């Protein structure tokens, strides 16, 4: 069912994993700006990597499967590449 809400649920899982680590670790950050900045940069980095990788994979899949009616229909139904309900 996960492929009905986004085209790359494995990348979504990776993002959720790192966001969970950030959230769990944030209780120890306190008021210091350094851990917040470092953690935020790390989270932004993994988000950038996953979104970039999914865009590349979308392009590669379109080249390989773009003419197949099932792929075209699936891509039309599942508009979100990684983050559900966002294009």
């Amino acid at each position: 069912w996960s492929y009905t809400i986004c085209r790359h649920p494995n990348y979504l899982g990776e993002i959720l994993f790192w966001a969970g680590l950030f959230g769990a670790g944030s209780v120890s950050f306190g008021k210091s700006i350094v851990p917040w900045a470092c953690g935020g940069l790390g989270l932004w980095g993994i988000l950038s990597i996953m979104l970039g990788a999914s865009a590349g994979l979308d392009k590669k899949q379109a080249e390989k499967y773009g003419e197949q009616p099932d792929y075209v229909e699936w891509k039309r139904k599942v508009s979100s590449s990684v983050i559900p309900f966002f294009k």
Side-chain angles (χ1 to χ4, degrees):
W1 68 268
S2 60
Y3 285 92
T4 62
I5 60 170
C6 69
R7 290 193 301 271
H8 305 291
N10 51 332
Y11 293 152
L12 175 61
E14 187 78 17
I15 291 168
L16 291 174
F17 171 77
W18 288 104
L21 284 180
F22 176 81
S26 67
V27 297
S28 67
F29 291 174
K31 295 180 181 180
S32 175
I33 190 70
V34 174
W36 285 103
C38 292
L41 284 173
L43 192 56
W44 176 80
I46 197 69
L47 184 63
S48 298
I49 290 168
M50 293 295 114
L51 292 177
S54 70
L57 188 54
D58 275 341
K59 188 175 182 179
K60 190 178 287 188
Q61 287 176 338
E63 291 170 2
K64 188 171 183 177
Y65 306 114
E67 301 300 317
Q68 295 181 10
D70 289 341
Y71 175 77
V72 173
E73 178 66 15
W74 173 69
K75 193 167 181 182
R76 186 189 64 77
K77 284 182 180 178
V78 184
S79 61
S80 171
S81 183
V82 177
I83 300 172
F85 313 112
F86 289 100
K87 288 186 178 183

